[in-house]
Amino acid sequence: MARASVTNVPDDHHILRYASPVRLRRDAANNVIGVLAAAFQLRPGEAYLSAGWLDMYGGNRDERLRQAAAAYDASPLHIKPNGAFAVGQVSAIKTAGERFKQKFRIVHEPSKGLGSYVAVRQYRDDEAELLALLADDAWAECVTVAACKA
Amino acid sequence: MTAPAVASLPLRRQFQTVIGETPPDLIRNSPQTSSAGNLTAEKVRVSAKPGVARSQRNWVFVGNDDMERQLANQLVALKVLTSQVAMHLTNEWRQGFFSQLDFLMSPDNWEEVDPIPGIASFNTALRLVIHMGHIKRPGLGFTPEGHIILAWTAGDDRLTIECFPGDDVRWVVSHTVQGEREASAGKAKAARVPALLAPYGPEKWLALQ
């Protein structure tokens, strides 16, 4: 059986990571104002951080977000309507990692029913400051699932 | 022996009496086999009112049932726990806090792969809030391990505190200094947090309007 190709995602492209409703930064009135660092924690047993390749899709930014959300919906990776996507540029995410002596490999690994599936490999989530920098700077753009579909 | 009236005790003793030290007297998590013998249940013992007699206390069982039921049961337990420290919170603060929990712990917003939030982490969060005095209500979240997160935001300046069981917290301050994003973090006991945050001017996050 032919093995799916694995390629590096270009540095100037953007990737997105789904954040569930409980991992979004909210104000006291529950309005979404970003993502929490916990959105970049690995689940027990996970070896890498999963994401999606936003710029694999065509069209303008809104169209790409809409296609990405539709692709997640159709995949086994369930997304909640009140969840959101964190969007970041590959180069900025790698730079954040390098500040903590982590050299991420951000690779396109189409699988799990998601053609845009991306793995952030050589990733460790044991430094709270790195996760905060991802959430608040390098991977901080937050677009709600509802807004993607609008 | 009749329990002392909690409100008449010094503040620190109120913590010990209402929320408990380690292990707490009134609240305990313990794996237990149900009477049916085929379910492992987490038994959460909570008091209807601070200081009520042992025989009058309520019991909330959280079993290996479906997720919705577990969430609903735990939500009740967390609210009861919060109500036990109601004397430290304004009614508006508490009601807002409950609304936030209702939203996050609804089946529509909870991922099935996430563990149900534990009482012990929540216990630490309440103790932290009491230690910090009258503060602005935080945004809430949960980690993949089920720990509660308290988050305050003032423009680009962010304070996030993850609450672990046993009164331990991890705080993270994230802000921009001379055009570059910086983050500082530390782990401490909840009681130490006000002193540790002092250099960062926490009023911008915590002060009531």
Side-chain angles (χ1 to χ4, degrees):
Chain A
M1 193 172 87
R3 203 175 151 193
S5 63
V6 174
T7 55
N8 290 318
V9 180
D11 280 354
D12 60 341
H13 279 214
H14 294 80
I15 59 175
L16 45 78
R17 175 164 170 81
Y18 171 69
S20 81
V22 303
R23 294 209 242 296
L24 298 179
R25 179 170 288 274
R26 298 172 184 277
D27 62 17
N30 254 349
N31 301 304
V32 175
I33 50 179
V35 289
L36 290 167
F40 300 100
Q41 274 184 251
L42 298 171
R43 291 183 189 282
E46 277 186 334
Y48 60 86
L49 202 64
S50 60
W53 187 356
L54 178 62
D55 294 338
M56 194 188 86
Y57 300 104
N60 63 27
R61 166 60 69 104
D62 289 348
E63 289 163 348
R64 276 177 274 162
L65 285 167
R66 192 177 309 123
Q67 292 174 75
Y72 269 83
D73 260 345
S75 80
L77 304 167
H78 298 291
I79 56 175
K80 300 273 189 185
N82 287 325
F85 290 105
V87 180
Q89 191 175 41
V90 167
S91 60
I93 294 166
K94 286 181 174 175
T95 300
E98 285 163 5
R99 286 176 66 178
F100 292 84
K101 297 184 171 48
Q102 292 196 42
K103 195 168 175 59
F104 301 149
R105 284 185 61 233
I106 301 180
V107 290
H108 180 215
E109 298 181 1
S111 62
K112 296 189 178 180
L114 186 65
S116 60
Y117 192 81
V118 164
V120 181
R121 296 190 173 275
Q122 298 173 190
Y123 177 88
R124 296 194 326 270
D125 68 351
D126 54 358
E127 299 200 66
E129 293 95 333
L130 169 59
L131 271 53
L133 285 178
L134 291 174
D136 299 339
D137 190 33
W139 209 334
E141 185 186 348
C142 180
V143 187
T144 62
V145 169
C148 289
K149 294 178 176 177
Chain B
M1 192 178 85
T2 306
V6 173
S8 65
L9 297 172
L11 191 60
R12 179 160 179 78
R13 182 63 189 136
Q14 286 183 32
F15 295 168
Q16 292 169 346
T17 305
V18 177
I19 306 183
E21 288 282 355
T22 49
D25 180 51
L26 295 182
I27 301 135
R28 221 166 255 154
N29 283 327
S30 61
Q32 177 171 312
T33 303
S34 74
S35 56
N38 58 355
L39 292 175
T40 300
E42 182 190 26
K43 186 168 71 174
V44 182
R45 189 170 66 184
V46 290
S47 153
K49 283 188 208 170
V52 297
R54 190 173 292 267
S55 60
Q56 292 175 280
R57 289 178 188 150
N58 297 325
W59 297 79
V60 178
F61 287 92
V62 182
N64 284 348
D65 211 334
D66 62 278
M67 184 194 73
E68 289 186 26
R69 188 166 173 180
Q70 288 188 46
L71 269 178
N73 283 348
Q74 197 69 333
L75 183 57
V76 170
L78 300 183
K79 287 183 176 179
V80 171
L81 191 60
T82 306
S83 296
Q84 290 175 349
V85 293
M87 72 288 273
H88 300 291
L89 309 170
T90 66
N91 191 46
E92 183 187 5
W93 202 105
R94 193 174 73 254
Q95 291 305 323
F97 192 60
F98 286 172
S99 294
Q100 291 170 280
L101 290 175
D102 286 339
F103 178 82
L104 293 178
M105 292 179 67
S106 76
D108 287 344
N109 293 326
W110 200 265
E111 304 281 351
E112 286 182 26
V113 292
D114 281 344
I116 303 295
I119 285 284
S121 163
F122 197 82
N123 198 18
T124 299
L126 287 178
R127 289 169 60 84
L128 173 68
V129 166
I130 295 169
H131 280 301
M132 294 171 93
H134 292 287
I135 55 169
K136 191 174 168 185
R137 190 157 40 83
L140 303 180
F142 292 93
T143 70
E145 293 89 13
H147 300 149
I148 190 167
I149 297 170
L150 312 182
W152 291 268
T153 307
D156 279 346
D157 290 358
R158 293 164 176 201
L159 168 63
T160 311
I161 302 181
E162 178 179 352
C163 299
F164 299 89
D167 230 13
D168 292 319
V169 301
R170 176 164 53 210
W171 57 269
V172 181
V173 167
S174 167
H175 53 173
T176 302
V177 178
Q178 296 177 341
E180 187 162 7
R181 198 76 192 169
E182 280 188 359
S184 307
K187 289 189 86 169
K189 290 290 180 189
R192 286 274 298 136
V193 170
L196 293 168
L197 292 180
Y200 299 96
E203 306 78 24
K204 59 178 171 274
W205 295 299
L206 305 177
L208 293 166
Q209 301 300 318

